[in-house]
Amino acid sequence: NGEAFGVETDQTKAFDMCEQAALSKHTLARHHLACMYAEGVGVEKDIKKAIWWFKKAAKKGHHEAAQELHRLYSEGTEIPRSQKKAKHWKQVMQSILAEE
């Protein structure tokens, strides 16, 4: 448990609530859930699940999710580097931004 602005926070409960919203196809929740998996907040860190959720969010127009996929594939620190996949997600991000 942590405390934010004088209000107790329960990361596991936050994860559960975010997961329910993500499973209900809420795009922003999908991005937040991916971040929680990527950082191990409220759940055990799982980069494969993070990538899966980032992809779900990016495919529904969330540019930050596409940007994160681009970063992950470009850096290759947590997953195998792939310039082809990095380029793809950069193009997806740019396409989303062009539509906004």
Side-chain angles (χ1 to χ4, degrees):
N1 283 348
E3 202 170 302
F5 302 106
V7 178
E8 290 242 358
T9 59
D10 182 334
Q11 293 178 340
T12 302
K13 185 175 180 179
F15 173 83
D16 291 340
M17 292 173 68
C18 190
E19 183 179 43
Q20 288 304 311
L23 291 170
S24 296
K25 300 182 180 180
H26 189 279
T27 302
L28 185 58
R30 288 175 171 182
H31 177 255
H32 287 310
L33 189 65
C35 292
M36 293 175 98
Y37 272 118
E39 298 169 15
V41 175
V43 67
E44 187 173 330
K45 184 175 179 170
D46 188 329
I47 197 66
K48 288 182 181 181
K49 287 182 181 176
I51 289 169
W52 192 83
W53 283 108
F54 279 133
K55 286 179 180 179
K56 288 286 217 184
K59 288 176 182 176
K60 289 295 182 182
H62 197 285
H63 77 272
E64 290 176 21
Q67 181 178 19
E68 187 62 16
L69 288 163
H70 170 257
R71 184 192 67 77
L72 286 166
Y73 284 114
S74 291
E75 291 177 357
T77 55
E78 298 184 70
I79 59 173
R81 179 176 289 166
S82 170
Q83 291 306 315
K84 182 179 178 181
K85 289 179 181 179
K87 182 179 178 182
H88 167 75
W89 290 110
K90 183 177 182 178
Q91 290 172 337
V92 169
M93 178 188 66
Q94 290 171 334
S95 175
I96 293 167
L97 290 171
E99 292 174 11
E100 290 183 351

